[in-house]
Amino acid sequence: MKKIPPKKKIVRACYIFLALFTAILFLAPIVLTITNSFMSTSEIYSNYGAILENASGDGKRFISKMVNLKLLPDMVSFSQYKTVLFKTPDYLLKFWNSVILVVPITVFQIILATLASYGFTRCKGKFGAVVFFVYIILMMMPYQVTLVPNYFVLNWLNLLDTKWAIWLPGIFSPFSVYLITKYMKRIPKSLVESARIDGANEWQIFSLIYLPTSKSIITSCVILVFIDYWNMVEQPLLFLSDQDKYPLSIFLSRINTKDIGMAFAVAVIYMVPGLLIYLYGEDALVEGATYTGSVKE
């Protein structure tokens, strides 16, 4: 066995330390949110009362008191979750509003994206290249730029303050089309030619070759689209006037300092769907994002 030089050991140790420090830095807010959700309201105010008092004013006062960041509660309490899940139906209503708004966007955007991507992959003319270039331009534009045009179009269609006002712009987003198209173009043409010789039609080529081969990038798009729209704030605020139709993300953007303990519990509940879908498709997300799953001839 080759001995590792001392300098390389030091460099490797520095990299490991830097990686651990970065991981702790990014995970600390999530861990604190989860642990603080099991604290009682009195304990939360005893630890963070100075911040909450400052937040209730103009936000410019100096915090003279010490803030106690506690990782573990003195006594585990489920009162916040009991209040959210059983005593305050408004928060559960907003949770299901998020599910109803996000799931159709994710499902139908992926369906349309796979069909459109297959068309762009198989189309070799200048028209297809021009349309795909327009897709790229639209994807590069921040969605805040398209909010006002979408508002006027939805108002003309009389769809404002309905779920369609959120569904339609999300379903026809070009983000997934771009990623899946770039992936499908890496599929070897020899597979298609072999399928043609065996008598396969376009639908069979699409369903038996392109879809199974693109499983990793499709899973990646599902995760990215779901998390993106699960965290949406601007679209519901602009397109929905009825607050009963707001998703849970709106509540998190308007945390009330009087209910900070409940806000911790709601934040934990809010993180669960995105965390589960990420853990389920983590390998596919990495493979699809790095294109390591390309087909070998």
Side-chain angles (χ1 to χ4, degrees):
M1 295 178 63
K2 294 182 179 180
K3 293 184 178 180
I4 301 176
K7 290 184 179 180
K8 288 189 176 180
K9 289 183 179 179
I10 296 174
V11 172
R12 181 179 298 179
C14 291
Y15 283 145
I16 294 174
F17 174 78
L18 182 62
L20 289 174
F21 177 77
T22 306
I24 293 173
L25 190 65
F26 279 95
L27 289 176
I30 299 175
V31 174
L32 284 173
T33 301
I34 295 174
T35 56
N36 290 343
S37 67
F38 293 101
M39 291 182 182
S40 61
T41 304
S42 58
E43 186 177 357
I44 290 175
Y45 274 91
S46 65
N47 295 326
Y48 308 108
I51 294 178
L52 299 179
E53 290 175 3
N54 186 70
S56 61
D58 56 10
K60 298 180 180 179
R61 291 181 295 173
F62 177 72
I63 301 175
S64 59
K65 299 179 182 179
M66 293 294 294
V67 176
N68 184 23
L69 294 177
K70 293 187 65 174
L71 184 61
L72 297 176
D74 294 334
M75 182 177 295
V76 177
S77 173
F78 294 92
S79 60
Q80 314 294 353
Y81 290 97
K82 186 186 298 183
T83 302
V84 171
L85 296 175
F86 301 106
K87 296 182 180 180
T88 313
D90 185 48
Y91 300 129
L92 281 181
L93 175 64
K94 287 180 170 55
F95 176 85
W96 286 112
N97 283 345
S98 296
V99 174
I100 292 172
L101 291 175
V102 175
V103 171
I105 290 176
T106 304
V107 172
F108 288 102
Q109 184 182 139
I110 298 303
I111 293 175
L112 291 178
T114 52
L115 294 172
S117 299
Y118 179 72
F120 283 128
T121 303
R122 301 288 289 155
C123 181
K124 304 301 181 182
K126 292 184 178 180
F127 178 76
V130 171
V131 175
F132 185 67
F133 178 75
V134 173
Y135 261 81
I136 296 176
I137 297 300
L138 291 175
M139 191 192 71
M140 293 176 62
M141 295 175 61
Y143 67 88
Q144 291 88 348
V145 176
T146 60
L147 283 177
V148 175
N150 284 337
Y151 180 87
F152 287 124
V153 172
L154 293 170
N155 186 37
W156 179 67
L157 296 173
N158 294 322
L159 294 177
L160 288 177
D161 203 28
T162 65
K163 295 182 179 64
W164 289 101
I166 307 296
W167 286 340
L168 288 180
I171 290 173
F172 292 97
S173 173
F175 174 73
S176 299
V177 176
Y178 172 77
L179 291 182
I180 298 176
T181 300
K182 298 299 288 184
Y183 192 94
M184 283 185 174
K185 286 184 177 180
R186 295 169 60 91
I187 297 176
K189 302 215 178 115
S190 59
L191 293 177
V192 179
E193 293 172 358
S194 299
R196 284 291 190 192
I197 294 174
D198 293 337
N201 55 32
E202 288 294 336
W203 175 254
Q204 290 172 329
I205 294 173
F206 169 70
S207 59
L208 299 179
I209 296 178
Y210 277 84
L211 275 185
T213 306
S214 306
K215 181 181 177 181
S216 60
I217 191 63
I218 292 174
T219 305
S220 301
C221 289
V222 169
I223 297 172
L224 296 174
V225 170
F226 180 87
I227 293 177
D228 183 28
Y229 284 94
W230 187 256
N231 297 319
M232 63 180 171
V233 174
E234 290 87 351
Q235 298 96 317
L237 286 176
L238 185 61
F239 300 149
L240 301 177
S241 59
D242 187 359
Q243 295 188 6
D244 292 335
K245 298 178 182 179
Y246 280 174
L248 192 58
S249 55
I250 301 298
F251 166 75
L252 292 179
S253 66
R254 299 177 176 179
I255 293 178
N256 190 344
T257 56
K258 295 181 181 179
D259 298 323
I260 189 64
M262 193 179 302
F264 278 127
V266 174
V268 174
I269 296 173
Y270 181 79
M271 289 189 295
V272 169
L275 183 61
L276 290 178
I277 194 172
Y278 169 76
L279 292 176
Y280 176 78
E282 179 183 4
D283 294 336
L285 177 62
V286 175
E287 181 182 346
T290 57
Y291 294 102
T292 57
S294 57
V295 179
K296 296 181 180 179
E297 297 191 56

